[in-house]
Amino acid sequence: MSRFRLYDLNPEQQRAATHESGPLLILAGAGTGKTRTIVARITWLVSTGTPASKILAVTFTNKAAREMKERIAGMLTEEQAADITASTFHALCMRILRADADKLGYKNNFTIFDEGDQLGLIKKVINRVTAKDEKLDPGLAKNLISKAKNNGWAPPQDDETVIGAVYSRYNRELHALNAMDFDDLLVQAVKLLNDHPSVREKWRGRFSQMLVDEFQDTNRLQLDLVSLLASGEPPNVCVVGDDDQSIYGWRGAEVSNILEFEKHFPNPEIVRLEQNYRSTNQILTAANRLIKNNPRRRAKNLWSPNQGGDPVHVVSVPDDKTEAEFVVAEAGAIRNASGLPWEHFAVIYRMNAQSRLLEENLRRMKIPYRLVGGKSFFDRREVKDILATITCLVNPQDDISLLRIINTPPRGIGATSVEIALEQSAKAHRSLFDTLTDPAFEPEVSRKTAAAIRSFAEDLAATRIHLLTPGADACAIVSGYLEESGYFDDLKRSCKTPEEALNREAGAKEILNALANHQSKRRGTVQDFLDELSLNREREEDKKDDGKGVTLITLHAAKGLEFPHVFLVGAEDGLLPHERSKSEGTVDEERRLFYVGITRAMKSLTITHCRNRMKFGSAMHCRPSPFLKEIEGEGVHAESYEDIMSKPVAEEDVAMSFANLRAMLSGD
């Protein structure tokens, strides 16, 4: 039975939730109950007769999709909630392509290349197409190819430029390997829907209502996908977003998609959510003053019915060393006075490098903290090794994965033999595995190497048969294969310390546990498991972080989060806005980034800027960010570090600090 109640919503949320048909643009300001409104709309649609299976909700991250599903489950019956499709863009595209990729010349069991796979292939391509005196950084090439794909630029027909030649060859090699990278999932899905009306109508018929979250972060391809899938006359598409929080232009997001929504979906209903449920009015007033300086935006004015709150505190400090000491001391003072857990505090900065001094001071004061955005679990060596092994067991034609495991652990198949096989496979347009296992290849290598290749191929083939048998215990089969190959012993031998060996072993166990859990809960294929992990590791924001303590986080990573007490550090010209933004004409996006930082704060916000900052070992003079001038006014209090330090401490504050310190030491 539905637990949906309209009177739980404010008037604007109600209007958005109960929109009947046609295009709907929900402009949801920071902290205005965006997810609640989306869930309410989905629930209302179901309660008024739309079949749950006809509703498609598209998000940017798996985490957002899971959260939406969980909240929907609390409002509808279990069956209805299960029937609603809540998916990321990439997962949706994969679903579309798995069914009909053959119409584009792919096999439907195509492989998905992650970033490491892409770089590996691009390096090979660069070596093949460039002359000795030509150089091209593989990382730069990958970024340029990604940008080209997201902008809809086809590979050039000639090879006049090095990057053009690399782009063309890379695309051809990907196709030959029956593989797609993450950008291809969008590119090829849009191509499939564009070029094949029957496929397009099939998917339009599947969904009668489409909802898109974080629409301000969409790029051109994602907009095209939404337009191709939206059904109805006029189309029943609801997009939710906030142009004031569009901060991913460097990643291809186009704020024009939300600013010019009417061009793509004429005569939409537009609803503005402005009542904020997160921050004090002091914080919201500063945010409103700042963002109104962006000339190209949809007008919004955040407000809260809750009056009061501390003023926004802007503090000028002598240098970055003092800044870190001050922020840590201030957080400690608030914590001592309030008894709040450290998880209520966050320090937000523009660049990752700014965390070092903060970490040093937190460690010195023995304050727990978590650094958001560390090395991804999926970038760990042992995890990539095991995923490559599973991939080869499912699809031996995957050259990138085969190259990773063919001599890990050592099997007596040397690099020279592999290089010969690679050259022959490229000339014959065959996979590396097919080349290695062709009897015609044996004369190219020594008898010992040929025997090692045969043994490896036979073990792989035998294990593959077991793994792909319906009902097989995939985790046990993969674990057994790794154990018999000597992988775990080799992993331990490669570690410099016992601690590293324990960590590597834990990483290996974790990925095998994930395979076992997938089998027990999802009952999907091993390929489904690999697909899911590919999508999960695409975006760092999907990674679950259960660390405790003060949060250290960049402005970009902080979007979507909230903390009672926020310290926003480094508000200096050249850092925020970043110097590069001035020459690139993206100061407006930097202002939006600052706005995102301000609106993360719930109860208190302290902004610091340095008069000097260490750069390349020398103290460099800094100017305050011009954004600080824009937030000046009632509710914003500016002072210097020296003024603060010269103030006498009130007796009651001292007594409160000692009382809290005693409570901490006694373990209360």
Side-chain angles (χ1 to χ4, degrees):
M1 193 72 184
S2 172
R3 270 81 71 189
F4 172 61
R5 300 183 305 184
L6 266 180
Y7 56 79
D8 287 339
L9 307 177
N10 67 40
E12 290 74 25
Q13 290 173 334
Q14 281 189 32
R15 186 175 149 217
T18 58
H19 172 74
E20 291 190 0
S21 62
L24 171 64
L25 170 60
I26 303 174
L27 294 168
T32 57
K34 168 181 68 99
T35 305
R36 182 188 193 192
T37 305
I38 298 172
V39 171
R41 173 154 182 76
I42 291 171
T43 309
W44 181 82
L45 286 169
V46 173
S47 69
T48 54
T50 301
S53 59
K54 289 281 190 179
I55 297 174
L56 169 64
V58 186
T59 66
F60 268 83
T61 67
N62 289 288
K63 181 181 176 184
R66 283 194 301 271
E67 181 187 345
M68 191 176 293
K69 288 285 277 186
E70 287 166 6
R71 294 190 50 176
I72 291 168
M75 304 291 280
L76 299 171
T77 67
E78 189 176 333
E79 295 78 12
Q80 288 171 329
D83 281 346
I84 289 166
T85 300
S87 165
T88 65
F89 275 102
H90 286 94
L92 176 63
C93 289
M94 184 189 294
R95 189 172 163 188
I96 292 168
L97 289 165
R98 283 285 180 220
D100 290 293
D102 57 301
K103 291 181 172 61
L104 298 174
Y106 290 87
K107 297 175 186 174
N108 289 343
N109 68 339
F110 59 85
T111 299
I112 301 167
F113 272 29
D114 66 13
E115 190 170 310
D117 299 329
Q118 284 179 266
L119 280 172
L121 181 56
I122 287 170
K123 285 175 185 175
K124 286 201 300 182
V125 168
I126 288 172
N127 289 335
R128 290 172 186 167
V129 305
T130 55
K132 287 184 179 179
D133 59 340
E134 290 178 318
K135 288 186 178 180
L136 179 62
D137 177 68
L140 174 62
K142 185 185 78 68
N143 291 339
L144 290 172
I145 290 169
S146 177
K147 185 176 181 180
K149 288 187 177 184
N150 280 288
N151 284 332
W153 301 337
Q157 297 302 308
D158 55 59
D159 293 347
E160 287 186 5
T161 64
V162 175
I163 184 60
V166 171
Y167 182 14
S168 297
R169 181 70 173 264
Y170 169 73
N171 257 17
R172 291 198 300 272
E173 295 266 346
L174 263 184
H175 204 156
L177 291 166
N178 191 40
M180 298 186 195
D181 59 29
F182 279 95
D183 297 317
D184 283 330
L185 292 177
L186 283 165
V187 171
Q188 299 298 340
V190 167
K191 179 175 172 55
L192 179 64
L193 294 169
N194 248 326
D195 296 353
H196 297 274
S198 62
V199 177
R200 183 169 67 246
E201 291 313 310
K202 176 179 75 174
W203 284 95
R204 281 186 174 179
R206 192 164 292 183
F207 302 110
S208 63
Q209 292 283 347
M210 187 177 188
L211 299 95
V212 185
D213 193 14
E214 302 287 9
F215 193 69
Q216 78 281 348
D217 295 335
T218 53
N219 61 24
R220 190 198 125 173
L221 278 172
Q222 288 157 339
L223 174 63
D224 289 345
L225 186 72
V226 172
S227 299
L228 287 163
L229 289 175
S231 62
E233 280 297 334
N236 292 317
V237 59
C238 164
V239 305
V240 188
D242 181 9
D243 52 298
D244 291 335
Q245 296 185 76
S246 180
I247 59 172
Y248 296 117
W250 52 275
R251 208 159 68 185
E254 297 188 22
V255 69
S256 60
N257 287 354
I258 194 167
L259 292 176
E260 300 169 6
F261 182 72
E262 295 90 335
K263 283 187 179 179
H264 309 287
F265 299 96
N267 304 314
E269 179 88 2
I270 299 177
V271 180
R272 287 174 169 79
L273 304 184
E274 297 172 308
Q275 183 175 344
N276 180 281
Y277 295 90
R278 176 188 297 156
S279 309
T280 66
N281 264 318
Q282 307 272 43
I283 293 167
L284 297 177
T285 299
N288 288 332
R289 280 198 205 111
L290 171 77
I291 204 63
K292 73 178 182 182
N293 289 280
N294 268 3
R296 194 163 176 255
R297 63 183 288 264
R298 290 184 181 267
K300 290 176 290 298
N301 196 62
L302 299 184
W303 62 277
S304 169
N306 302 320
Q307 300 304 311
D310 296 332
V312 173
H313 203 189
V314 178
V315 182
S316 161
V317 293
D319 52 50
D320 47 352
K321 183 175 180 292
T322 309
E323 178 183 55
E325 292 170 352
F326 169 72
V327 166
V328 171
E330 278 290 288
I334 296 171
R335 203 251 188 186
N336 286 342
S338 62
L340 292 170
W342 288 117
E343 291 72 50
H344 283 217
F345 298 83
V347 187
I348 308 179
Y349 37 82
R350 178 66 178 84
M351 307 294 289
N352 271 308
Q354 290 172 257
S355 73
R356 185 180 64 83
L357 288 170
L358 293 160
E359 289 187 76
E360 285 179 7
N361 279 277
L362 289 164
R363 283 198 296 267
R364 182 170 55 83
M365 299 298 292
K366 295 183 171 56
I367 295 173
Y369 70 92
R370 58 178 191 141
L371 183 66
V372 175
K375 189 172 184 180
S376 167
F377 173 76
F378 295 101
D379 286 334
R380 295 174 64 163
R381 189 184 85 211
E382 67 277 14
V383 174
K384 290 186 79 73
D385 287 345
I386 293 173
L387 286 176
T389 300
I390 298 171
T391 300
C392 281
L393 287 168
V394 173
N395 179 17
Q397 309 298 317
D398 188 316
D399 281 9
I400 300 295
S401 296
L402 187 66
L403 283 168
R404 185 172 188 93
I405 72 162
I406 196 165
N407 214 33
T408 303
R411 309 176 196 273
I413 307 171
T416 303
S417 301
V418 173
E419 190 61 38
I420 294 168
L422 277 172
E423 287 178 11
Q424 291 199 7
S425 69
K427 287 176 184 174
H429 300 290
R430 300 174 72 193
S431 72
L432 179 61
F433 184 81
D434 286 347
T435 303
L436 284 166
T437 54
D438 189 337
F441 181 73
E442 287 195 14
E444 301 286 343
V445 295
S446 68
R447 287 184 180 179
K448 189 177 178 182
T449 299
I453 291 171
R454 278 197 306 274
S455 175
F456 168 66
E458 286 165 6
D459 288 345
L460 196 70
T463 308
R464 185 168 188 262
I465 290 170
H466 291 305
L467 186 66
L468 299 183
T469 301
D473 186 341
C475 182
I477 291 168
V478 173
S479 298
Y481 176 80
L482 290 166
E483 189 72 55
E484 288 170 22
S485 71
Y487 174 76
F488 293 117
D489 290 336
D490 182 65
L491 185 67
K492 289 176 185 175
R493 281 194 299 270
S494 70
C495 296
K496 295 178 181 177
T497 65
E499 184 69 18
E500 184 187 357
L502 285 172
N503 286 333
R504 296 284 183 200
E505 186 180 10
K509 285 180 179 175
E510 188 62 29
I511 197 66
L512 290 168
N513 287 342
L515 176 58
N517 288 339
H518 183 273
Q519 262 201 310
S520 64
K521 293 179 181 177
R522 297 285 301 278
R523 296 182 180 175
T525 65
V526 179
Q527 181 65 62
D528 290 337
F529 169 73
L530 293 169
D531 285 349
E532 186 174 83
L533 287 189
S534 293
L535 292 167
N536 280 338
R537 69 180 184 260
E538 167 64 356
R539 294 177 180 275
E540 271 300 308
E541 60 261 38
D542 280 0
K543 189 181 66 169
K544 187 176 180 181
D545 190 339
D546 291 325
K548 301 294 183 184
V550 176
T551 298
L552 303 183
I553 191 168
T554 65
L555 283 159
H556 282 102
K559 183 173 174 287
L561 303 178
E562 58 183 33
F563 307 93
H565 301 283
V566 168
F567 295 86
L568 210 167
V569 301
E572 295 137 32
D573 195 13
L575 194 55
L576 185 64
H578 198 276
E579 196 64 43
R580 190 177 62 244
S581 69
K582 299 174 186 177
S583 58
E584 294 178 351
T586 55
V587 172
D588 284 5
E589 183 157 316
E590 292 285 300
R591 186 179 283 108
R592 292 194 290 267
L593 197 55
F594 192 33
Y595 174 83
V596 165
I598 290 172
T599 54
R600 298 312 94 198
M602 299 167 72
K603 293 182 178 178
S604 78
L605 172 64
T606 301
I607 303 172
T608 61
H609 62 96
C610 300
R611 297 191 289 276
N612 293 283
R613 184 174 290 277
M614 293 297 290
K615 293 180 182 177
F616 308 111
S618 302
M620 306 289 286
H621 178 68
C622 303
R623 298 186 305 275
S625 169
F627 298 154
L628 295 177
K629 196 78 177 169
E630 296 175 2
I631 68 170
E632 284 180 356
E634 188 179 349
V636 177
H637 177 63
E639 59 185 329
S640 71
Y641 170 80
E642 290 80 3
D643 287 342
I644 294 169
M645 297 308 290
S646 65
K647 288 179 184 176
V649 181
E651 287 184 19
E652 58 269 26
D653 290 343
V654 174
M656 179 65 76
S657 292
F658 277 116
N660 279 286
L661 186 60
R662 279 196 297 273
M664 287 167 61
L665 292 172
S666 66
D668 293 346

